[in-house]
Amino acid sequence: TLFPYTTLFRSDSAATIDRLARTPPRTQSDVNVARAELLHAPREVLQTFADTVMTAHGEGGLGVEEARALLAEDALVQAHAHDPAEFARLVEEILVTRAQPVSIVTRALVRRRAWQQAADFVATVPGSGRVGPQATGGFPTRDVVDAANRSLRAGHATAAEMLAARALAVSPRSRTAQETFTAAHDELRVVRNGWAPPPAAAAPAYEVDPKAALAVLSQSLPHTSGGYATRTHGVLTGLA
C-alpha cells in the first residue's frame, strides 16, 4: 500500500487529512510529517490519529506521545479562547503528563496570538518545579524562537525580546534568536527614548549633485541578498 506520509503533498482536502489520520506511521519521520499536517485538523481527526497509533503500536509506541501532544495543544487552544480557568488547569496537567510540555503550551499560545502570555510562560516555567519528571524533550528552542519572530512581526516587541532572550540563554549561538532580540531591543529603545536625527553638519561632507538622489536602504547588496535587496538594486541600477 502506498504510504501517504511520504507521497502526498500538503493539502486541505478532508479526504487526505482523514487518510493521514487513519494510516499508522512506520517511522519517526512519518510521525513528524503527520504531526505537521494534522496540526490544525478538527479534534475528531486528531482523536482518530491517536486511536490509530495506539492500536498499531500500543502504549508508549511510535507516535503515541506526539498524537497525545496534538490533542493537548488543541485542548489548550480551545480553552484559551473560551475558558481561562480551564486553560490554566490544562496547563498544569500538561506540565506533569507530557514529554514536551513547554513546547505544547508555547505553540498553543502562539496559535492564540497571546504573545505576552507566551513570553511570561517561557520566562518562568521551564526548569521550574512545575514541570514534572516525565518531561524529556529539553528546552524547545526552535518553538520559542519561532514565537519570538511571530511576536515581533505582530508588533509585540516586548514579548519578542523576552522570548528571544530566553532562547539565547539556552542557545547563545542561535543566529535567528540573536537577530530577533536585536531588532526587538532596538524598537523598544526608540519607543522608550525616542529618536532624533544627528545634528546637521555645517557643510556637506561630499560634493552635492543637484540632479542626484540619495537612497537609504535597510538591506542592500552585497551585504544581504534577499528579495528586497535584489529588487532595490535592480531598480536603482536601472535608474542610474
Side-chain angles (χ1 to χ4, degrees):
T1 303
L2 197 61
F3 195 64
Y5 294 91
T6 54
T7 59
L8 293 176
F9 56 85
R10 186 172 184 86
S11 171
D12 291 329
S13 163
T16 298
I17 295 300
D18 183 69
R19 185 183 176 197
L20 284 170
R22 295 180 185 279
T23 305
R26 295 176 295 184
T27 66
Q28 186 59 47
S29 177
D30 295 340
V31 173
N32 295 340
V33 172
R35 179 198 165 278
E37 295 291 340
L38 297 174
L39 183 59
H40 298 284
R43 186 167 185 82
E44 56 269 23
V45 175
L46 299 180
Q47 187 61 61
T48 297
F49 179 61
D51 294 342
T52 297
V53 294
M54 186 65 181
T55 300
H57 303 297
E59 186 65 41
L62 179 68
V64 172
E65 176 59 30
E66 287 84 354
R68 289 175 176 169
L70 283 172
L71 285 168
E73 183 177 333
D74 179 73
L76 283 175
V77 170
Q78 299 307 317
H80 191 277
H82 305 292
D83 190 343
E86 176 64 5
F87 174 82
R89 187 195 69 78
L90 286 171
V91 168
E92 297 307 317
E93 177 183 292
I94 288 167
L95 289 177
V96 298
T97 57
R98 300 273 60 87
Q100 296 182 322
V102 175
S103 180
I104 293 170
V105 177
T106 301
R107 290 198 306 263
L109 290 170
V110 167
R111 288 172 62 181
R112 289 292 302 151
R113 300 177 64 82
W115 311 116
Q116 191 58 51
Q117 193 173 356
D120 292 339
F121 173 82
V122 169
T124 58
V125 173
S128 72
R130 292 170 63 189
V131 180
Q134 86 298 332
T136 59
F139 185 81
T141 301
R142 182 174 181 178
D143 288 322
V144 173
V145 172
D146 178 69
N149 280 328
R150 291 174 183 270
S151 178
L152 184 62
R153 291 199 299 269
H156 294 257
T158 299
E161 183 185 47
M162 290 176 62
L163 288 160
R166 187 66 180 86
L168 287 171
V170 178
S171 302
R173 292 190 174 185
S174 171
R175 181 175 178 180
T176 304
Q178 292 172 354
E179 292 174 350
T180 302
F181 177 85
T182 300
H185 184 75
D186 287 348
E187 288 186 13
L188 290 172
R189 184 179 58 203
V190 171
V191 170
R192 292 164 181 160
N193 304 325
W195 180 84
Y206 54 91
E207 184 177 349
V208 177
D209 182 350
K211 295 183 178 181
L214 174 66
V216 181
L217 308 178
S218 63
Q219 300 177 48
S220 62
L221 295 174
H223 309 290
T224 57
S225 58
Y228 178 91
T230 302
R231 288 190 298 273
T232 305
H233 180 80
V235 169
L236 294 177
T237 300
L239 292 174

